[in-house]
Amino acid sequence: MSVTYNRLAVTDHPEDNRIRSIALDHGERNNVLDERMMLELYAAIEDADRDTDVDGILLGTTGDTFCAGADLEELREHDIEAGNRFLTGYFETMDLLRETGKPAVAAVEGNCVAGGNELVNACDLIVAGESARFGQPEVLVGSTAAGGALQLLPLIVGEKRAREILLTGELLDAVEAERIGLINRVVDDGAAETEAVALLRQILDRNSPQAYRVMKSVMKTWTNFAMLHSEMARDLTARVWASEEFQERANAFLDGETSESRSFGGVRPNEP
């Protein structure tokens, strides 16, 4: 796939040309995951996977925010079909990161939330600066976190902690994220990329590529089980995005206003 990168900075890393650096580069929009960003991410990861001169993938950012999640301005314009198409590309990108036999390490500085948190959790390892924050605040704006967080967080941090992260929408600092196993290492602010590159070089210099690829493929069995009904999650989420309640909350968030409270409904039939 031939793509001109407008949302990414894609280069061979200056310290080691075996490492392909893929940096989110749309800082004026907090590196939101819009349709263009997803197209470019898939193309960049696929190219790194196919390139025989590339041994490892570094996922990072050029801005102060790693990723603020999906682009609400774009999502509120989606009908159900457009939502389905966006989520299909989204799932394919995440799956490619989990599937590639090449080590993929994320270097996180700043906020890494919603779709951004799902994106880095598709990588093998995550290194973060101490001021980084992680979480899934979708429930606050009327979205679902069904792009992978609902499915994978219980595997990563355990069910009860996953429920707290997902159902409250509260963010975690990097130290807490490391403590519960959401990320791998915390370093000084500004040092995440240096540590991530060192980790990648250690893997590339010492590890068996064949064994690494096989081990990663076998571990993917668990994420495959978790993502088994991704088409259902896609269709349901596309319908949520097209709903009045999502439009109301997305508009309030973008306008800097507080959403009006609504009643929580049950699932049992009403009494006759």
Side-chain angles (χ1 to χ4, degrees), residues 16-35:
D16 193 327
N17 61 13
R18 298 174 298 173
I19 298 171
R20 179 65 50 82
S21 173
I22 301 173
L24 309 187
D25 189 30
H26 197 38
E28 63 270 21
R29 293 293 315 284
N30 291 321
N31 289 322
V32 291
L33 297 172
D34 58 14
E35 289 184 357

Side-chain angles (χ1 to χ4, degrees), residues 256-272:
E257 299 174 354
T258 301
S259 300
E260 293 186 12
S261 297
R262 286 176 177 249
S263 297
F264 283 68
V267 297
R268 293 289 180 264
N270 293 329
E271 293 284 351

Side-chain angles (χ1 to χ4, degrees), residues 26-245:
H26 197 38
E28 63 270 21
R29 293 293 315 284
N30 291 321
N31 289 322
V32 291
L33 297 172
D34 58 14
E35 289 184 357
R36 181 68 201 184
M37 178 76 86
M38 294 309 302
L39 173 68
E40 293 183 21
L41 270 170
Y42 186 89
I45 298 164
E46 183 180 50
D47 183 66
D49 179 80
R50 292 179 183 275
D51 192 334
T52 56
D53 292 327
V54 173
D55 289 337
I57 298 170
L58 173 69
L59 184 65
T61 181
T62 63
D64 294 330
T65 297
F66 185 88
C67 179
D71 184 356
L72 281 180
E73 290 187 10
E74 189 175 81
L75 292 187
R76 66 178 177 175
E77 302 300 323
H78 281 342
D79 59 18
I80 292 173
E81 294 304 318
N84 274 329
R85 289 179 180 275
F86 173 81
L87 281 164
T88 296
Y90 186 80
F91 283 133
E92 288 175 348
T93 301
M94 304 301 179
D95 196 57
L96 184 55
L97 268 177
R98 288 193 293 270
E99 184 178 6
T100 179
K102 302 180 180 186
V105 178
V108 177
E109 302 281 0
N111 283 355
C112 179
V113 300
N117 190 51
E118 291 170 333
L119 178 64
V120 299
N121 276 289
C123 294
D124 300 336
L125 302 168
I126 305 167
V127 179
E130 60 185 353
S131 294
R133 296 199 302 168
F134 299 84
Q136 302 292 154
E138 287 94 335
V139 69
L140 304 177
V141 296
S143 191
T144 66
L150 285 176
Q151 300 92 327
L152 298 176
L153 276 183
L155 286 175
I156 297 169
V157 301
E159 183 195 356
K160 288 303 181 186
R161 198 57 200 264
R163 283 177 178 269
E164 183 176 348
I165 293 168
L166 290 159
L167 299 181
T168 68
E170 293 181 358
L171 303 186
L172 307 176
D173 62 37
V175 172
E176 179 66 5
E178 181 190 35
R179 188 186 72 80
I180 66 172
L182 184 62
I183 66 174
N184 299 95
R185 299 184 183 181
V186 179
V187 295
D188 292 339
D189 287 337
E193 180 175 319
T194 298
E195 180 70 10
V197 169
L199 193 53
L200 271 168
R201 296 179 78 175
Q202 175 185 322
I203 293 169
L204 300 183
D205 290 341
R206 297 173 52 187
N207 292 7
S208 159
Q210 176 178 257
Y212 190 96
R213 183 175 65 252
V214 170
M215 292 169 70
K216 186 169 174 176
S217 295
V218 173
M219 285 190 288
K220 189 172 180 282
T221 302
W222 295 104
T223 59
N224 285 345
F225 278 129
M227 299 300 295
L228 190 60
H229 300 294
S230 60
E231 293 86 0
M232 180 178 67
R234 176 197 65 194
D235 290 352
L236 289 172
T237 297
R239 282 162 172 74
V240 166
W241 288 343
S243 71
E244 177 185 338
E245 185 172 327

